[in-house]
Amino acid sequence: MMVPPTARRSLARAAVAAALAVSGTAAVALPASAAPPPRGPWQDASYSPEHGQWRPYVLSPSSRTVRPVAIYKADPRQGRIDGSPDAALRDGGGSVRLTGAADRTGSPLLVVDFGKEVAGHLKVRVKGASSTPPKLRACFSESIKYAALTPDANDGEGKIAPGCDTANIWNGFPGQPYTQDTDSHALPLDGKKLPATVRDGVLRGGFRYATLFLDGPGTVDIDGVSVDFTAAPNQRDLDGYQGHFLSSDNELNKIWYAGAYTVQVNTGASNTAKSWPYAAGEGDHADARVPHADPNKSVIYDGGKRDRIVWQGDLAVQAPVTYLSTNDLEAVDNSLSSLAAQQLPDGFMPAESQVGQHNADELRTYGEYVTWFVNNMYEHWLYTGDRAYLDKWWPQLTKATAWLESVRSQDDKGLIAFGDAGSCGHYGYSDCGHETYVNALYARNLTQMAAMAKARGDASAATYGDRSATVTKAINDQLWDEKAGAYRLSREIPGAYPQDANATAVLAGVAGGDRATRALAYLRKNNWSQYGSLTVSQSTPNASLPPFYAPLPSSFETDARLDTGDASGLDLIRTFWGHQLRQDPGSTFWEHMQPDGTPNLKQFSSLAHGWASGPTVTLTTRVLGVQPTGPGYSSWSVVPFTGGLTWAEGTVPTPRGAIAASWRTTGHGFRLDVTAPRGTSGRLAVPVTPSTSRVALDGRTVWAHGKATARGVTGDGKYVYVDGAPSGRHTLTAG
């Protein structure tokens, strides 16, 4: 996320908002009052794996032309609205006439609802207008709550840009007066031979609601409104996902597809970034180029509405979501490469694509994000197996890791910290100490570097592995609080036990066995609240890390819980992400959330923020259970997690072809079906209980009465594993 230097140090990254709501039928709008938003685009039926019906969950449009589904509001105010407002929902037929007032403060407002987050250029078909037409303008909002439909809304934005939320941080930041219109878009009618379609020349990267208003007296006859959908420009089949997920839980299914759609909306042409900072009075726009990006390929921005730049931390979630849904590898490659090319001479990796003017201090903020560069390159190699890509950027990886090592104390303490390097700051706070969170990330980086070095035949593999063990020991020796049963925020702030520290320690393998169980139990007891798991308990006195809901560490916690066999991870997904799905914009996830369940930065919040899409990855890799264990899925594992579900199925794209998996509980036990592409092999697993008497692979008994009866078969009391399963179709049953 990009914010001005003065705000950077004091703001948490904004919130995540998504709800699933749009009905196939348009609601009839009353002239001057708001109708409730229509229901979601989901067909709330029970889906069965036999039918394989998953397309109704896909939110992506099938066409680049997207039309609104309802009129949310038609308010004449001091002007007039004649004719049916529903005429704006489609081209042709009748039209609705807007008659302006003396100025925009009294203009009629026509609010159209697209039913879900969309992105692109607004188009309005104008059937006719007065001889001297008024200026026609459009405002946009991701949520009706922040659409500034009353004069005082959004700190006065409603008087100046009615119907807009705030996408320009330099004017109208929450709590600051909105002083001039930097958010609405002009739709020029001058010189147009009517009827004609007027296309907005300025891209709006994310919105659900569009408000048309007039700036001055006169009439305009509106005959239709639509959007040229510009997200994911290089994806030819927008709704033809290469990966899919379904389960017996309808809500989890919706969450998977909302996450995939959030990242898809964030994917855009590399010349549609935002160039910060804006000059005073400059209108919001998205037409800057991402440095070092291939202009012919897409990139993945952090958010559609804002900040609309490429971020290391966001890609840590967005890239895996992309691998598992649209499989738009070009967009991932281009994003990662554009960031890698910005490395500073000493190895520091800037947190985000440097679009616009930046001073030296800004280039070095957020040392945490250097760890995400290493992680993202490792994940890309693991998912794609692209050895050439790894070799190309290996020098940058070694330099970035060397920079991280340079901020690790070389005394017996052995932990990294960013204070002396001037790179303090995280996804939501600005602590500079020797923290559990960043050290756990670094320990994982070292393990990742060891794996990549080994694949390249590099002698540094052993060094990286040994160093990871050293950092892991230092974390456990200095930051584990035995009495609390949790990891401290840092040596400097020992009385806080945040979500990110404890979840990441478990996920990175720093915490094992009893410590992992106790750390997660601490979070459940102290951090869980009405809408999910807070960054820190509300009773913790610590200004460095305020309590709020952050999707990045919340994803870590869900993964950590499922990895340790704790089904409450699914409860966390339903609670935190499910809450968002019941709010606007009904299709995408928010950047951050306040303890009261509202977006963190109100009208400035990004409500389609890709780093909040972690459950899409979790549900495929943990619940369905499909993960790569060798580069490019040369080897894989399918280890299902039921968590109270009765069945799940999915498709996972790989460079060698799709892996198809499905599992279900049966009256006799459990059945897993897997089809893997040629040239691969992997591990299959089925859950077992003390009453399980037999496990069979393709009809042949491989486990009976608690003992293996075939090579490569093992058990741990919870699962029976079959290693070395070759490509092709297999059925593993337990009963």
Side-chain angles (χ1 to χ4, degrees):
M1 160 185 148
M2 175 112 172
V3 293
T6 55
R8 245 182 176 160
R9 293 183 290 273
S10 60
L11 294 173
R13 288 174 57 104
V16 193
L20 303 150
V22 48
S23 174
T25 58
V28 177
L30 300 176
S33 64
R39 267 171 28 97
W42 315 100
Q43 298 181 13
D44 285 325
S46 295
Y47 288 85
S48 67
E50 290 87 352
H51 296 139
Q53 293 176 312
W54 58 274
R55 186 170 290 269
Y57 285 103
V58 177
L59 289 160
S60 184
S62 57
S63 166
R64 290 282 175 187
T65 298
V66 182
R67 301 189 183 279
V69 299
I71 302 296
Y72 175 77
K73 188 173 188 178
D75 186 353
R77 303 205 296 176
Q78 281 78 60
R80 289 185 58 178
I81 297 179
D82 296 300
S84 171
D86 284 352
L89 300 178
R90 65 194 67 84
D91 294 347
S95 60
V96 56
R97 171 166 292 183
L98 306 184
T99 300
D103 56 43
R104 66 176 65 182
T105 60
S107 168
L109 304 179
L110 183 64
V111 186
V112 300
D113 178 8
F114 287 87
K116 61 184 176 184
E117 185 93 359
V118 293
H121 296 268
L122 191 71
K123 293 195 301 185
V124 178
R125 179 170 170 78
V126 179
K127 195 170 186 178
S130 55
S131 57
T132 303
K135 294 179 180 178
L136 176 63
R137 301 192 71 87
C139 262
F140 306 90
S141 184
E142 292 184 302
S143 169
I144 205 65
K145 181 180 177 69
Y146 302 115
L149 296 176
T150 60
D152 294 332
N154 297 354
D155 303 297
E157 186 173 16
K159 299 190 199 75
I160 301 170
C164 277
D165 61 15
T166 304
N168 183 340
I169 196 171
W170 303 97
N171 177 39
F173 193 80
Q176 302 297 318
Y178 193 88
T179 58
Q180 53 192 314
D181 182 4
T182 54
D183 286 296
S184 76
H185 294 185
L187 302 171
L189 295 176
D190 299 340
K192 294 284 185 181
K193 183 178 180 180
L194 304 179
T197 297
V198 185
R199 186 178 186 269
D200 184 1
V202 179
L203 170 71
R204 169 68 185 222
F207 65 99
R208 173 172 173 171
Y209 302 92
T211 299
L212 298 178
F213 67 91
L214 305 179
D215 197 359
T219 63
V220 175
D221 298 334
I222 305 298
D223 185 30
V225 178
S226 62
V227 166
D228 274 343
F229 190 82
T230 59
N234 294 339
Q235 293 175 20
R236 295 181 181 178
D237 187 4
L238 284 170
D239 60 348
Y241 288 1
Q242 293 187 40
H244 89 278
F245 172 85
L246 276 179
S247 75
S248 56
D249 188 314
N250 200 43
E251 185 174 31
L252 294 179
N253 298 342
K254 294 176 181 181
I255 289 170
W256 192 96
Y257 286 94
Y261 185 59
T262 300
V263 176
Q264 195 174 24
V265 166
N266 295 166
T267 304
S270 60
N271 64 347
T272 60
K274 288 193 176 186
S275 180
W276 304 92
Y278 287 171
E282 183 178 356
D284 191 59
H285 56 93
D287 52 11
R289 290 191 174 275
V290 174
H292 309 291
D294 186 330
N296 297 313
K297 299 177 181 178
S298 303
V299 294
I300 307 177
Y301 297 108
D302 61 334
K305 165 187 164 180
R306 55 137 283 266
D307 306 312
R308 209 165 174 85
I309 50 179
V310 182
W311 277 82
Q312 304 275 11
D314 298 79
L315 283 173
V317 178
Q318 292 170 316
V321 170
T322 301
Y323 304 140
L324 299 174
S325 58
T326 62
N327 201 31
D328 188 351
L329 298 184
E330 277 193 350
V332 178
D333 288 359
N334 205 26
S335 302
L336 294 176
S337 296
S338 69
L339 292 170
Q342 296 179 152
Q343 189 171 46
L344 302 184
D346 66 350
F348 182 86
M349 189 63 64
E352 82 278 10
S353 53
Q354 301 299 317
V355 183
Q357 302 298 315
H358 299 269
N359 60 43
D361 289 340
E362 285 183 283
L363 291 176
R364 290 191 177 275
T365 55
Y366 301 135
E368 172 209 355
Y369 284 68
V370 182
T371 70
W372 289 119
F373 167 69
V374 177
N375 174 84
N376 295 344
M377 285 296 190
Y378 169 80
E379 291 284 310
H380 192 60
W381 167 72
L382 184 62
Y383 274 93
T384 68
D386 192 339
R387 174 64 183 274
Y389 194 86
L390 172 61
D391 289 344
K392 176 181 179 180
W393 297 113
W394 183 248
Q396 283 72 19
L397 279 164
T398 56
K399 287 178 66 177
T401 309
W403 184 88
L404 288 167
E405 181 64 11
S406 75
V407 297
R408 187 169 74 91
S409 57
Q410 298 304 309
D411 55 19
D412 60 348
K413 301 294 186 180
L415 296 174
I416 67 172
F418 302 126
D420 291 343
S423 299
C424 302
H426 306 75
Y427 59 85
Y429 59 104
S430 56
D431 185 63
C432 298
H434 297 80
E435 303 168 48
T436 301
Y437 171 60
V438 295
N439 277 279
L441 294 178
Y442 181 49
R444 182 170 67 174
N445 284 163
L446 292 167
T447 301
Q448 293 167 334
M449 288 293 291
M452 290 185 285
K454 183 178 180 181
R456 298 182 73 254
D458 195 307
S460 62
T463 301
Y464 288 128
D466 291 344
R467 192 178 299 161
S468 178
T470 299
V471 175
T472 295
K473 184 177 185 302
I475 296 170
N476 282 315
D477 288 348
Q478 300 171 48
L479 296 171
W480 172 255
D481 186 330
E482 178 63 25
K483 183 177 180 180
Y487 287 90
R488 302 177 174 95
L489 189 154
S490 64
R491 289 205 314 243
E492 293 75 9
I493 306 178
Y497 307 93
Q499 178 191 36
D500 62 7
N502 288 278
T504 308
V506 176
L507 203 58
V510 171
D514 182 61
R515 283 187 178 179
T517 301
R518 294 177 67 193
L520 294 174
Y522 178 93
L523 295 181
R524 181 65 184 266
K525 179 180 178 181
N526 296 281
N527 292 47
W528 280 39
S529 191
Q530 182 177 0
Y531 300 108
S533 184
L534 292 163
T535 51
V536 69
S537 67
Q538 297 200 57
S539 62
T540 302
N542 171 32
S544 172
L545 180 59
F548 61 98
Y549 297 106
L552 189 66
S554 291
S555 288
F556 299 159
E557 184 174 344
T558 61
D559 286 350
R561 290 189 181 279
L562 298 188
D563 283 355
T564 57
D566 181 356
S568 69
L570 296 182
D571 295 332
L572 182 54
I573 292 176
R574 296 182 185 104
T575 301
F576 179 51
W577 284 272
H579 169 72
Q580 297 165 51
L581 297 184
R582 291 183 285 274
Q583 323 299 318
D584 270 346
S587 48
T588 51
F589 290 126
W590 313 347
E591 189 179 6
H592 276 161
M593 193 164 76
Q594 293 277 32
D596 66 0
T598 61
N600 215 33
L601 294 179
K602 299 181 179 179
Q603 65 266 22
F604 186 64
S605 291
S606 173
L607 304 186
H609 221 77
W611 80 336
S613 298
T616 301
V617 181
T618 299
L619 292 170
T620 293
T621 59
R622 268 77 179 185
V623 174
L624 185 62
V626 181
Q627 297 192 42
T629 57
Y633 290 88
S634 54
S635 61
W636 39 262
S637 67
V638 183
V639 183
F641 184 86
T642 60
L645 304 178
T646 59
W647 62 266
E649 67 161 56
T651 305
V652 176
T654 86
R656 295 168 168 81
I659 295 176
S662 65
W663 60 258
R664 71 182 63 192
T665 60
T666 69
H668 304 289
F670 190 90
R671 172 176 174 139
L672 171 68
D673 290 285
V674 174
T675 302
R678 182 177 299 176
T680 70
S681 63
R683 161 176 277 196
L684 303 173
V686 288
V688 294
T689 67
S691 62
T692 302
S693 61
R694 178 177 181 263
V695 174
L697 176 65
D698 300 328
R700 182 171 67 94
T701 299
V702 295
W703 179 275
H705 305 295
K707 294 182 180 180
T709 60
R711 289 184 179 180
V713 179
T714 57
D716 60 9
K718 296 180 180 179
Y719 287 88
V720 166
Y721 306 92
V722 178
D723 288 303
S727 60
R729 181 168 183 171
H730 301 286
T731 298
L732 189 64
T733 59

